[in-house]
Amino acid sequence: AQSVTQLDSQVPVFEEAPVELRCNYSSSVSVYLFWYVQYPNQGLQLLLKYLSGSTLVKGINGFEAEFNKSQTSFHLRKPSVHISDTAEYFCAVSDQGTSYDKVIFGPGTSLSVIP
Amino acid sequence: AAGVIQSPRHLIKEKRETATLKCYPIPRHDTVYWYQQGPGQDPQFLISFYEKMQSDKGSIPDRFSAQQFSDYHSELNMSSLELGDSALYFCASSLGRISYEQYFGPGTRLTVT
């Protein structure tokens, strides 16, 4: 069974500072990896996804993530955050090539950008 | 571009009542997924349908049932509502059973009083 761990439940960061949100996963099979963002009282928006190939994935709003298979990690980074980045961020995983469709989400990291 | 539509967006019910949530997938998408997100929780997979057949099942209570209709829209029926059912219910859709191409709707916020 898959699981996702997000080591930090809350991350405060000053505006224009860099940020890294950590994500580790466990799975017995190859996986697809995702980062979703949820703004207050809104739905889930896909930031980026890793399917295969280059381990550095670039997403929307200046975010990027790096897949590290040996460390089973998929950390999200942004070099300079804005107030508008304040939101909940979910790391997620799904199996490759199985009959299971579901996406398994991590517990989320609340990013607060301080002016 | 057209997105996933969920209705209603907000719903208030009392304990032991029933509720029906509707999901209209992106045009031509044939797969629908339902997720439940409790307050301060991560989304949990409930159930999915592909071509009107149940394709995967998660932690969906027996009090809940769902189906996908011929036009590919889906309905989640919830009976004997409990306070703990208060949550944001997301629907997602994809073309084919491709988990990495799921597009999420805005959610229905269900409040049980």
Side-chain angles (χ1 to χ4, degrees):
Chain A
Q2 309 138 316
S3 66
V4 179
T5 303
Q6 292 182 244
L7 299 172
D8 307 298
S9 60
Q10 296 185 8
V11 173
V13 61
F14 286 103
E15 192 174 14
E16 297 183 4
V19 69
E20 178 179 80
L21 305 183
R22 296 179 292 171
C23 171
N24 288 87
Y25 69 93
S26 66
S27 177
S28 57
V29 299
S30 297
V31 296
Y32 302 122
L33 294 157
F34 312 85
W35 275 98
Y36 287 88
V37 60
Q38 185 176 32
Y39 298 102
N41 298 312
Q42 293 191 29
L44 293 165
Q45 182 179 3
L46 180 66
L47 274 180
L48 49 78
K49 61 188 175 189
Y50 171 79
L51 304 182
S52 64
S54 172
T55 57
L56 183 62
V57 180
K58 294 189 183 297
I60 62 172
N61 301 341
F63 284 93
E64 63 180 32
E66 186 155 19
F67 169 57
N68 188 318
K69 188 174 182 179
S70 63
Q71 297 185 6
T72 60
S73 67
F74 191 54
H75 300 333
L76 181 71
R77 302 185 185 98
K78 186 170 183 178
S80 175
V81 295
H82 302 131
I83 296 291
S84 59
D85 293 324
T86 294
E88 191 80 16
Y89 291 79
F90 293 98
C91 182
V93 63
S94 70
D95 278 349
Q96 288 190 26
T98 72
S99 61
Y100 299 107
D101 312 329
K102 58 184 174 288
V103 174
I104 306 296
F105 290 85
T109 296
S110 179
L111 175 64
S112 298
V113 180
I114 305 164
Chain B
V4 176
I5 298 172
Q6 292 187 246
S7 69
R9 292 294 309 279
H10 301 272
L11 188 60
I12 300 174
K13 290 286 186 177
E14 294 187 356
K15 282 195 321 183
R16 292 180 288 278
E17 285 191 321
T18 62
T20 297
L21 310 185
K22 297 183 179 182
C23 170
Y24 298 88
I26 291 172
R28 294 188 296 113
H29 281 193
D30 51 15
T31 308
V32 169
Y33 314 79
W34 286 97
Y35 294 83
Q36 177 192 54
Q37 184 181 27
Q41 304 293 315
D42 54 292
Q44 295 287 323
F45 173 75
L46 292 178
I47 196 167
S48 62
F49 292 87
Y50 168 66
E51 283 290 347
K52 293 152 279 185
M53 299 287 288
Q54 181 181 308
S55 59
D56 197 3
K57 191 172 181 180
S59 50
I60 184 169
D62 292 340
R63 299 177 289 107
F64 294 7
S65 65
Q67 58 181 324
Q68 185 180 33
F69 294 86
S70 57
D71 64 351
Y72 297 108
H73 93 273
S74 178
E75 295 184 3
L76 178 65
N77 298 294
M78 311 159 69
S79 63
S80 302
L81 287 169
E82 302 173 356
L83 294 178
D85 296 328
S86 295
L88 189 58
Y89 290 82
F90 288 109
C91 171
S93 75
S94 68
L95 178 61
R97 295 173 57 190
I98 302 175
S99 62
Y100 59 81
E101 290 291 348
Q102 290 187 26
Y103 294 85
F104 282 81
T108 293
R109 185 168 296 282
L110 172 66
T111 302
V112 182
T113 62

